[in-house]
């Protein structure tokens, strides 16, 4: 019965931080691998003879969700709901509005925004009409929205699924369809104030979710570009070099250097010069000062600007009381092309309930940065709207929460039903229907068994199984007396309540 | 500036119930029309020279959302949220769990489920790997989920977007990407109890949304199949005849008959025999009795079963107190292949705020029915899980709500911000940052302007513009005294509050 929950099941077996990385794949695979890395449970189905429709007959097909995707069961959506509520309450606390955009965009809208990662975009089939692609993130659609509606000033959040034809690793929370929770601030403002707020938001959310210790790495594309410039890399290779440097958190310096030299065509000396910077130990104000004194880097205008702003950012983060979780890290580069200023990425250091001695980098759970040029790419007159934002990647957070729930054997309710309408009597369906209808109309969350003559025991068992706290029991005597027997499922205590007071009494009992 | 909000703007101009139907198109167009019916505002964009990415240069492209789709602005998402909350609270009141499935399915999963409408399915491009399609509804993915996980008993809701390459008519709320809010009950139960609950849910939701008068039409596929059988139609043409009958609510009998004879190859006499039934005036128990007495139809086993259950359904609906809004209507057929028993469709009779004398059918806002065979089509052993459900189509409801808000000039808040942290002083950015951080950490929804030295007037104006009820003003004197000046924006009343009591005071004032 291995295929019962083929995609979700694997997630429980081995904690994802304990899984080995594929040794043959030190750098992130950019093209989707043809073979499945995860065990996808499948089953051949004999499709019954066409009773419905005309274009089907007996044939085998495979009962599964598409590669890299999964269903959410009621228990999983219940956990997901908790995570969403935490994130949404934080976004609202910071005054964000909500927008929504279509799941697909014109292919052209997405073109030229993601660098090497563009290969991972899902295209729709050309069925006549426009060429479309599934959104790859929520940032490019946001920029398209701003330009199209000439909005120059907005603070919004957007929670939605995005799509990447990446090599899935679902036990580690990497899917082809996954949620992003984005918060962005667009507009011409004074330096680093919105940027600092984005980091405050990441800090609040990761603290509230209680996922254990975390660290937020920051860097600035202007500083990186300054580094590339003083190391002698031509402008045209900046983005591509960024992509390579970005792999430093998953690969060794040797692998990264090999890619720079072998694939990107840099000289080994140039690569080493870059290495001297991007391999510097992470730090804070000290590292900023050190780089401001660097004889080469301090000559570069962009780098000086970036370092000045980084200093300002740390001032604001100190006022917010969160500077201790922030680390200025020259090896952070971020993969996407559109960043122009500060960039950041949050990593969990250790799963809360794991018994390990040293902190383990569990991978990024949030990331973002400043992208001042993206809206201008869409605007007919090239007008710029500076933007900064953050994206919370919740699949990994879900994985952790699910494992915690699984480990704790905590029972999670998947409904909010307050009362079960029950009867000990035969032929009382009409009485139950009338009573439950009254309760629904009074706003009470009520269920009943869909049987004409259910046994009382089965009705009470249903309450136990699903966590319904109360049963409203009606039989001949109660009907005659105009009352309903209200039973507390946990204590088995029963009390007669006048029928017209029932809704009120249920509400009273469940509020306290 | 017509292109500012090209897709949403049109919706306001002419109320959709006042729009003419395209006269050349009496029957629903099954294939997507190549030409746009709606005016899509577009704008040519000069893409700036490639600064980002490599595969772009100077070229024109069009700044728009894909055909038949739209963005939701903050105001629209605020209205949408209200509608969702009403619907979700109803689904929860009836004890539903939540599941979620991927936006795409294996193409094979969707094949052979939708009859003629299969043409409208969006396929993904074959980029190597599985052949995928965007979901066309939430029902087939639900059935696939049940079979895959061997679930035989569940009551769930699912709210998500579905995709149809239909001819969009966005001013009337018909989109290619649109939300469905589905509630379904799966399991072996006694007849018509879950079916009646689905109708109760439609009744509750349409009542709570206060959209004016509505009617829920019901029929049963078994009765229709009985009608087709006694009229001499071969089994193999049942589904196709259903699709044609389904058009009766949008087209005349003559058009429908022409399709039966011309396209489906029925004889004019057969078509007329069908017409005698499906054109019968809608009714209730009376019509059921009349058909049970019908010399031909009463000989048909399926029809007798369907009519018997219809009688039972009306009994239960009477107990629920909603039978007056339900109409048994033989012309209701529903387009989809998978229905096997009772089917229903809710229509709004009249917009609430329109000054018209006769009720106008504004089109369907909810529909559903029983589909007892669908899960079995996916199960490797063909095991059946009987299901019944309803889908609320909210795009039309949104349209109406948006028009109402527009007409009432009601101001809708798009954020929940409780307080703006402000200052009358220059160089007080650090003080504001520290104060707002304290408020956020106390759970207060707070904003500040992202300027180093904003004018007090601008700060107060921002409160007025966005509906923020309170301003927390801090200047030199307040800082010295350890207080914050709390200003009620509406009344301009100001009072000094000790800084450590500020969060509590804000909460107290906004609760009452």
């Amino acid at each position: 019965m291995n295929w019962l929950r083929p995609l979700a099941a694997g997630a429980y077996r081995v904690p994802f931080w304990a899984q080995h990385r594929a040794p043959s794949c030190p750098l992130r695979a950019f093209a989707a691998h043809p073979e499945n890395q995860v065990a996808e449970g499948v089953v051949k189905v004999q499709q019954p003879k066409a009773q419905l429709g005309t274009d089907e007959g007996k044939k085998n097909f495979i009962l599964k969700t598409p590669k890299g995707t999964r269903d959410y069961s009621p228990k999983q959506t219940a956990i997901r709901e908790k995570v969403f509520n935490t994130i949404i309450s934080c976004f609202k606390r910071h005054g964000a509005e909500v927008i929504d955009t279509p799941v697909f965009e014109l292919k052209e809208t997405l073109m030229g925004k993601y660098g090497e990662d563009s290969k991972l975009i899902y295209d729709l089939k050309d069925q006549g009409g426009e060429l479309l692609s599934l959104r790859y993130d929520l940032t490019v659609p946001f920029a398209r929205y701003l330009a199209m509606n000439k909005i120059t000033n907005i603070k919004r959040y957007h929670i939605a699924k995005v799509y990447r034809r990446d090599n899935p690793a679902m036990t580690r929370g990497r899917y082809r369809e996954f949620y992003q929770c984005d918060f962005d601030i667009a507009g011409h403002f004074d330096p680093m104030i919105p940027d600092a707020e984005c980091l405050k938001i990441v800090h609040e959310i990761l603290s509230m979710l209680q996922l254990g210790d975390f660290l937020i790495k920051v860097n600035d594309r202007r500083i990186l570009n300054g580094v590339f410039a003083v190391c002698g890399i031509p402008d045209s290779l900046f983005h591509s070099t960024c992509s390579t440097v970005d792999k430093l958190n998953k690969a060794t310096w040797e692998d990264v250097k090999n890619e720079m030299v072998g694939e990107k065509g840099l000289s080994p000396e140039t690569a080493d010069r870059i290495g001297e910077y991007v391999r510097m130990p992470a730090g804070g104000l000290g590292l900023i000062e050190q780089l401001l004194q660097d004889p080469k880097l301090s000559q570069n205008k962009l780098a000086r600007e970036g370092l000045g702003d980084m200093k300002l950012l740390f001032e604001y983060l100190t006022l917010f009381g969160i500077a201790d979780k922030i680390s200025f890290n020259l090896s952070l580069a971020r993969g996407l092309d559109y960043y122009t200023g500060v960039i950041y990425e949050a990593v969990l250091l250790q799963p809360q309930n794991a018994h390990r001695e040293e902190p383990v980098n569990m991978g990024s759970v949030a990331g973002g940065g400043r992208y001042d040029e993206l809206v201008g790419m869409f605007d007919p007159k090239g007008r710029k709207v500076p933007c900064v934002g953050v994206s919370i990647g919740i699949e990994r957070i879900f994985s952790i929460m699910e494992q915690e729930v699984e480990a704790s054997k905590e029972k999670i309710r998947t409904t909010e039903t307050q009362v079960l309408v029950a009867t000990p009597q035969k032929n009382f369906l009409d009485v139950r229907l009338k009573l439950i209808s009254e309760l629904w109309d009074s706003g009470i969350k009520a269920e009943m068994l869909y049987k004409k003559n259910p046994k009382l025991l089965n009705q009470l068992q249903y309450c136990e199984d699903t966590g319904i706290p109360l049963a409203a029991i009606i039989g001949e005597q109660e009907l005659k007396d105009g009352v309903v027997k209200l039973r507390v499922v946990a204590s088995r205590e029963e009390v007669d309540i006048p029928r017209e007071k029932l809704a009120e009494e249920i509400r009273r009992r469940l509020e306290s």
Side-chain angles (χ1 to χ4, degrees), chain A:
Chain A
M1 295 308 173
N2 206 13
W3 58 277
L4 257 181
R5 291 176 187 269
L7 302 185
Y12 294 126
R13 269 177 236 135
V14 185
F16 67 80
W17 58 85
Q19 303 235 338
H20 294 291
R21 298 212 177 85
S24 61
C25 197
L27 298 188
R28 187 170 170 204
F30 281 99
H33 280 206
E35 69 282 354
N36 289 357
Q37 281 211 336
V38 291
E40 290 183 71
V42 297
V43 61
K44 296 242 171 185
V45 171
Q46 283 287 48
Q47 198 145 354
K49 219 173 196 164
Q51 290 219 345
L52 310 181
T54 51
D55 55 347
E56 52 168 1
K58 259 194 193 279
K59 58 175 175 169
N60 290 327
F61 90 106
I62 287 170
L63 187 61
K64 67 187 283 295
T65 59
K67 183 180 176 186
T69 69
R70 64 162 169 174
D71 297 317
Y72 284 85
S73 71
K75 204 166 135 190
Q76 289 167 325
T77 55
I79 297 169
R80 191 174 83 175
E81 212 56 22
K82 279 191 190 180
V83 179
F84 278 153
N85 287 343
T86 302
I87 292 172
I88 291 172
S89 74
C90 177
F91 289 166
K92 286 190 171 170
R93 196 159 53 240
H94 288 262
E97 304 181 283
V98 194
I99 72 158
D100 193 16
T101 65
V103 80
F104 42 61
E105 295 278 345
L106 298 187
K107 188 175 162 67
E108 282 182 296
T109 299
L110 305 190
M111 272 165 56
K113 309 298 187 303
Y114 300 109
E116 296 181 3
D117 286 0
S118 296
K119 293 175 198 163
L120 305 181
I121 293 174
Y122 276 97
D123 291 331
L124 270 76
K125 191 169 155 184
D126 182 0
Q127 293 170 291
E130 300 161 338
L131 293 180
L132 307 174
S133 300
L134 296 186
R135 62 183 163 213
Y136 183 84
D137 64 8
L138 303 177
T139 309
V140 169
F142 174 57
R144 191 266 307 145
Y145 173 82
L146 295 188
M148 192 170 130
N149 296 289
K150 288 197 171 173
I151 295 168
T152 55
N153 198 328
I154 192 173
K155 179 163 55 182
R156 79 88 182 82
Y157 75 85
H158 188 189
I159 296 183
K161 289 173 177 174
V162 301
Y163 299 87
R164 302 187 182 179
R165 296 180 59 253
D166 211 339
N167 199 30
M170 296 189 285
T171 48
R172 274 178 284 152
R174 192 159 82 201
Y175 293 87
R176 288 180 159 200
E177 176 189 61
F178 59 97
Y179 273 100
Q180 287 196 331
C181 305
D182 278 28
F183 174 99
D184 293 81
I185 301 171
H188 290 270
F189 301 119
D190 282 323
M192 308 317 279
I193 311 178
D195 315 57
E197 183 167 356
C198 289
L199 292 171
K200 174 80 170 100
I201 283 173
V202 175
H203 190 280
E204 283 180 27
I205 288 172
L206 294 183
S207 303
M208 286 167 69
L209 288 175
Q210 297 183 293
L211 299 166
D213 206 10
F214 60 88
L215 184 72
I216 308 175
K217 303 181 199 170
V218 298
N219 195 3
D220 194 297
R221 275 287 171 89
R222 291 167 296 176
I223 302 175
L224 273 180
N225 286 349
V227 166
F228 298 157
V230 303
C231 293
I233 295 182
D235 287 20
S236 60
L237 285 181
F238 277 11
H239 283 302
S240 155
T241 310
C242 249
S243 298
T244 307
V245 170
D246 187 52
K247 295 168 191 170
L248 260 184
N249 65 333
K250 290 180 192 148
T252 64
W253 166 246
E254 278 63 41
D255 289 321
V256 168
K257 182 179 168 184
N258 282 343
E259 182 172 310
M260 286 183 176
V261 176
E263 289 180 35
K264 305 292 163 82
L266 302 188
S267 72
E269 295 72 33
T270 306
D272 282 332
R273 276 199 297 274
I274 295 173
E276 275 170 38
Y277 287 101
V278 299
R279 296 169 71 198
M280 281 183 172
L285 284 172
L287 179 57
I288 300 172
E289 291 301 340
Q290 182 189 336
L291 291 169
L292 279 169
Q293 307 302 324
D294 183 280
K296 281 183 292 174
L297 204 56
S298 58
Q299 301 304 308
N300 183 281
K301 187 167 166 287
L302 265 182
R304 273 202 319 274
E305 269 179 39
L307 288 164
D309 277 350
M310 188 60 71
K311 212 168 149 181
L312 201 56
L313 180 67
F314 269 86
E315 263 177 46
Y316 297 162
L317 298 176
T318 305
L319 288 165
F320 284 159
I322 60 170
D324 59 316
K325 295 277 188 214
I326 319 280
S327 144
F328 171 38
N329 193 323
L330 277 179
S331 76
L332 177 73
R334 305 277 300 154
L336 302 175
D337 278 8
Y338 48 63
Y339 292 117
T340 56
V342 65
I343 47 179
Y344 32 81
E345 206 166 282
V347 291
L348 299 181
L349 292 181
Q350 200 174 8
Q352 199 189 17
N353 59 355
H355 309 287
R356 286 168 155 273
E357 301 198 349
E358 44 174 331
V360 181
N361 178 338
M362 294 170 64
S364 151
V365 289
R370 178 162 283 283
Y371 48 102
D372 287 349
E373 312 280 345
L374 192 56
V375 179
M377 286 177 72
F378 290 112
D379 189 274
K381 293 187 182 159
R383 275 166 298 217
K384 289 181 189 172
V385 179
C387 295
V388 65
V390 64
S391 181
I392 314 286
I394 48 178
E395 308 303 329
R396 285 184 187 176
I397 295 173
F398 286 157
S399 285
I400 297 171
M401 303 287 251
E402 280 177 43
Q403 286 164 23
E404 278 180 12
V405 168
E406 206 67 6
S408 73
K409 311 268 179 219
E410 186 193 342
K411 239 189 167 178
I412 290 207
R413 276 200 76 182
T414 53
T415 70
E416 298 177 9
T417 309
Q418 299 169 306
V419 65
L420 185 85
V421 171
T423 183
Q425 222 81 38
K426 280 217 165 188
N427 300 319
F428 253 53
L429 175 60
D430 54 346
V431 175
R432 280 188 295 146
L433 286 172
K434 219 164 151 28
L435 179 59
I436 200 169
S437 180
E438 287 169 22
L439 289 174
W440 285 331
D441 293 343
S442 309
I444 297 295
K445 293 168 191 155
E447 287 186 72
M448 55 176 270
L449 297 199
Y450 301 123
K451 294 278 174 191
K452 266 162 107 167
N453 295 311
K455 292 188 181 138
L456 186 59
L457 204 66
N458 290 347
Q459 296 173 81
L460 296 177
Q461 188 60 47
Y462 184 80
C463 293
E464 303 264 8
D465 292 347
T466 62
I468 300 176
L470 299 171
I473 302 171
I474 191 160
E476 257 176 51
Q477 192 59 46
E478 287 81 14
L479 191 60
K480 220 176 74 186
D481 297 347
V483 298
V484 174
K485 207 177 276 310
L486 194 61
R487 178 185 170 111
V488 180
V489 175
S491 67
R492 301 179 182 191
E493 168 210 348
E494 291 185 345
V495 55
D496 282 353
I497 308 285
R499 184 163 175 157
E500 68 279 8
K501 297 249 165 95
L502 182 61
E504 194 187 315
E505 178 65 18
I506 291 168
R507 214 172 269 122
R508 195 189 62 77
R509 279 173 179 260
L510 296 182
E511 264 169 16
S512 60

